[in-house]
Amino acid sequence: MTARNTVCIAIDGEAASGKSTLGRLLAGKLGYLYFDTGVMYRAVAWAALQRAIDIHDEQAVTELAAQINIQITPPGCDDGRHYSVFVDGVDVSWAIREPAVDKVVSIVAAYPGVRQVLKGHQRQIGLTHNVVMVGRDIGTEVMPDADLKIYLRAPVEERARRRYLELQARGEEVSYEEVLNSMRQRDYQDSHRAVAPLRAADDAIVIDTGHLSVEEMVTRALKIVRSKLGEHSSVTSCTDSPIR
Ligand code: CDP
């Protein structure tokens, strides 16, 4: 625990490494808020595409990030979503998961001004809630003072297979090769950008999820949580209100 008197568990890792699944299930078991920061970058990318803003126009995209209102709320409907995401009141919960957004989101996420805007909101939530926060730079930049940092990795072929199955289940017409290539490109961009590149924090516990079932992954993480946070990990406080 830090002086915060709330608990923050940071989970970082590459695309489809299991972060969102682990984050959501862990938060549910602990009674913490689950916050997937990737949706904010996806929301900015979606808004840029929607308004036909040139994705390579850093200034325009940065201004857009500061202008739009991103809201993340409990699901509100029963179509398989785990939460809802709104941009200026428009429900974009599924739209931000489309391959077109996958293609450009890492470009948007590399802009320092965009990161600065979103990081401010993310840190505010991290300081005021018992939260499992998921992303690329939570343990290194957003919440370097997190009580526990977990970093997930898995071979890119396995991660692409997972994402391909997810997209297929949603009826997206995309081939495995396209998913694999897009993921390789995103991994490269995320880990080579100048600001807040994807990397494990020095004090993160690394879990390789390549050969783990979801249940095994959660069990392993829960064990780490209990041994690292002890009695604090039994804090329960569910948040049903919008977090932003
Ligand atoms: O679910 P998946 O791992 O495919 O991606 P995501 O977590 O939704 O994040 C989408 C993109 O947002 C990433 O590829 C990063 O470019 C960016 N991102 C970031 O830069 N920092 C974060 N804390 C979270 C996401």
Side-chain angles (χ1 to χ4, degrees):
M1 283 279 277
T2 65
R4 256 183 277 124
N5 82 49
T6 50
V7 178
C8 176
I9 298 175
I11 304 180
D12 290 301
E14 299 150 326
S17 53
K19 303 182 304 284
S20 309
T21 306
L22 177 61
R24 182 170 49 78
L25 295 175
L26 207 53
K29 285 194 184 293
L30 297 171
Y32 288 11
L33 177 70
Y34 165 55
F35 180 27
D36 179 358
T37 60
V39 304
M40 300 186 98
Y41 293 94
R42 288 177 176 275
V44 175
W46 175 86
L49 292 176
Q50 189 69 10
R51 295 173 197 200
I53 290 173
D54 177 2
I55 216 79
H56 297 286
D57 184 341
E58 180 170 349
Q59 194 185 335
V61 174
T62 303
E63 281 170 15
L64 177 72
Q67 273 164 19
I68 59 173
N69 177 32
I70 305 168
Q71 267 207 314
I72 307 163
T73 69
C77 71
D78 192 14
D79 62 357
R81 66 181 65 187
H82 299 295
Y83 46 81
S84 291
V85 183
F86 297 88
V87 171
D88 293 334
V90 178
D91 185 348
V92 297
S93 311
W94 291 117
I96 60 170
R97 302 274 162 208
E98 285 177 6
V101 172
D102 278 356
K103 267 203 190 111
V104 298
V105 63
S106 291
I107 299 172
V108 164
Y111 296 146
V114 171
R115 302 202 69 81
Q116 202 185 345
V117 171
L118 301 188
K119 179 178 158 182
H121 297 301
Q122 294 163 5
R123 181 145 178 89
Q124 190 52 35
I125 291 159
L127 292 176
T128 51
H129 295 76
N130 291 318
V131 62
V132 179
M133 201 183 291
V134 170
R136 298 288 191 290
D137 61 341
I138 309 306
T140 52
E141 297 285 334
V142 179
M143 296 297 292
D145 50 345
D147 302 270
L148 170 63
K149 300 175 188 179
I150 294 175
Y151 186 89
L152 301 186
R153 62 164 50 118
V156 68
E157 293 79 8
E158 168 60 15
R159 292 186 286 112
R161 192 187 66 83
R162 294 173 186 172
R163 186 53 47 89
Y164 172 66
L165 292 177
E166 271 173 37
L167 289 168
Q168 258 203 334
R170 294 212 304 268
E172 297 280 354
E173 289 198 11
V174 64
S175 70
Y176 169 79
E177 282 69 29
E178 282 171 317
V179 176
L180 180 64
N181 287 336
S182 162
M183 196 165 276
R184 280 205 169 112
Q185 202 172 348
R186 203 143 60 87
D187 282 351
Y188 183 85
Q189 286 171 326
D190 288 346
S191 48
H192 287 79
R193 66 185 173 218
V195 180
L198 169 67
R199 67 173 181 86
D202 294 338
D203 51 348
I205 295 170
V206 178
I207 303 179
D208 199 323
T209 70
H211 298 291
L212 297 181
S213 67
V214 169
E215 207 186 340
E216 288 167 335
M217 173 175 76
V218 174
T219 304
R220 192 170 295 192
L222 264 177
K223 225 167 147 184
I224 295 168
V225 170
R226 303 275 182 225
S227 78
K228 179 102 186 183
L229 302 184
E231 79 276 16
H232 298 305
S233 58
S234 60
V235 175
T236 51
S237 84
C238 279
T239 305
D240 256 1
S241 51
I243 59 176
R244 214 207 131 189

